[in-house]
Amino acid sequence: MNLKRLDKIISSQFNISRSITKAIIHRGKVKVDGQVVRDPSLQVDVDSVCIEYKGQVLSYKEHIYIIMNKPKGVLSASEDKSRETVVDLVPPELFRQGLFPVGRLDRDTTGLLLITDDGDFAHMVISPKKNIFKTYKVLLDGDITEDMFEQFEKGIVLADGTKCRSAKLKRVCENTAEIKISEGKYHQIKRMFGVVGLGVNELERVALGGLKLPINLGAGECRELTEAEKNQIFDN
Ligand code: URA
C-alpha cells in the first residue's frame, strides 16, 4: 500500500495549487473508484485507486524523468528572475512543482539534459562515485595534437591546480573532438582545453552514460524518459 492524501495527489499530478485542488474536491469534481469524493484529506492507495478529474483518469507517477535537448542561451536552473531557464521550457503536460535540472550545462552549451523532481535519482546520476561518463562533442578553435590524448588520459591539471580525472579524448575531424568525463567541475571542459591552449567554440552533450541524445529531439524539445532509457544512463 502506498497511501497518500487525495488533494496532494491531484495537486502534484495535475500541477494545480493545493488550495484550488481542495476547492475542486469540495465542489464534487473528483471521483475515486467511480464515486464522487468531497474530502480532500481522504487517504487513498496510489497503486490501486482510480482517480478521475475532468473525465481524465489519473495515472499516478511518484516522480517524473524528462530528457531535454537544451538549446543555447537558456539557464540550467529551476527559476531565475530575468532569464529563461530549462524548467521554463517544460511543456504544461510534463510540468510539475519541484522540477530541477540534473547537473548543469553552461548557458551556451547545448544537448542532453535531464530534468526531474527526484532528488535521489539526480544524486545517483551526478555523484562522481557512480563514475557515469558524460560525452561531449566539442568544436575547438584549433586542432588537437597527438600529445593531448595522453595528457587527457593522465588527468589534466587545471589552471587553479585542480587535478581532473582521466578523460577520454577522440579526434572526430579537424577542430572537432569528442570527450568523455566522469565528473562535473565548473566549466570543466572549457578549462581542460584551455590548459592545452585550445578555445571551445561549441559544446554539445551527446550522451550520459549509455544514454544518447535522441536524434529526433530538436533543440528546446523534451519528453519523458522511457524506463529502458533510464537504465541506459547507468550502463556506462
Ligand atoms: N564543461 C563545460 O565547460 N561546460 C559545460 O556546460 C559542461 C561541461
Side-chain angles (χ1 to χ4, degrees):
M1 286 254 266
N2 189 1
L3 289 177
K4 296 210 186 297
R5 272 179 70 118
L6 183 59
D7 57 351
K8 235 180 150 178
I9 299 169
I10 292 177
S11 149
S12 74
Q13 305 295 296
F14 288 104
N15 185 33
I16 316 171
S17 76
R18 280 290 278 283
S19 55
I20 293 179
T21 305
K22 281 181 185 159
I24 288 166
I25 298 171
H26 284 308
R27 273 192 259 124
K29 302 277 185 202
V30 173
K31 281 186 186 170
V32 173
D33 292 332
Q35 302 293 313
V36 170
V37 166
R38 292 175 194 268
D39 177 8
S41 70
L42 183 76
Q43 297 276 331
V44 297
D45 180 5
V46 288
D47 294 335
S48 63
V49 78
C50 173
I51 298 171
E52 282 171 78
Y53 168 57
K54 280 189 172 169
Q56 241 182 292
V57 174
L58 183 152
S59 92
Y60 180 81
K61 286 179 202 142
E62 179 111 39
H63 293 297
I64 192 159
Y65 306 91
I66 298 167
I67 180 167
M68 174 179 282
N69 184 354
K70 181 192 171 295
K72 260 192 191 173
V74 179
L75 217 59
S76 290
S78 300
E79 54 183 30
D80 191 77
K81 280 197 192 102
S82 53
R83 291 167 300 175
E84 192 175 41
T85 72
V86 289
V87 170
D88 295 332
L89 298 182
V90 175
E93 65 276 14
L94 296 180
F95 187 86
R96 46 165 91 184
Q97 294 304 318
L99 287 181
F100 61 90
V102 178
R104 278 166 199 273
L105 291 178
D106 295 341
R107 209 165 165 213
D108 58 353
T109 300
T110 60
L112 198 166
L113 183 70
L114 300 181
I115 297 173
T116 187
D117 58 350
D118 184 347
D120 293 338
F121 167 79
H123 178 72
M124 283 206 300
V125 175
I126 299 169
S127 169
K129 282 188 201 142
K130 298 281 170 193
N131 235 6
I132 292 176
F133 275 91
K134 299 153 197 130
T135 311
Y136 295 84
K137 192 173 161 196
V138 198
L139 181 64
L140 299 156
D141 63 1
D143 215 353
I144 50 176
T145 52
E146 272 307 311
D147 52 314
M148 290 179 192
F149 296 107
E150 204 186 322
Q151 278 178 278
F152 277 73
E153 178 84 46
K154 276 192 181 153
I156 293 279
V157 179
L158 300 176
D160 66 358
T162 309
K163 173 111 197 284
C164 296
R165 287 183 179 182
S166 172
K168 293 173 192 159
L169 183 63
K170 203 168 103 183
R171 185 178 182 275
V172 176
C173 58
E174 198 182 353
N175 292 7
T176 305
E178 193 186 90
I179 177 169
K180 285 180 192 281
I181 57 172
S182 64
E183 51 192 345
K185 301 186 196 304
Y186 182 65
H187 293 331
Q188 182 165 345
I189 289 178
K190 291 171 185 160
R191 289 159 76 205
M192 285 167 90
F193 280 106
V195 170
V196 296
L198 290 174
V200 171
N201 288 340
E202 304 266 345
L203 186 59
E204 181 187 24
R205 183 150 73 191
V206 293
L208 184 60
L211 174 68
K212 293 198 173 97
L213 178 67
I215 45 169
N216 58 0
L217 198 63
E221 287 180 357
C222 59
R223 62 162 170 80
E224 266 187 90
L225 270 184
T226 64
E227 209 43 45
E229 286 174 326
K230 232 173 108 184
N231 294 330
Q232 282 168 14
I233 298 168
F234 304 98
D235 190 10
N236 248 329

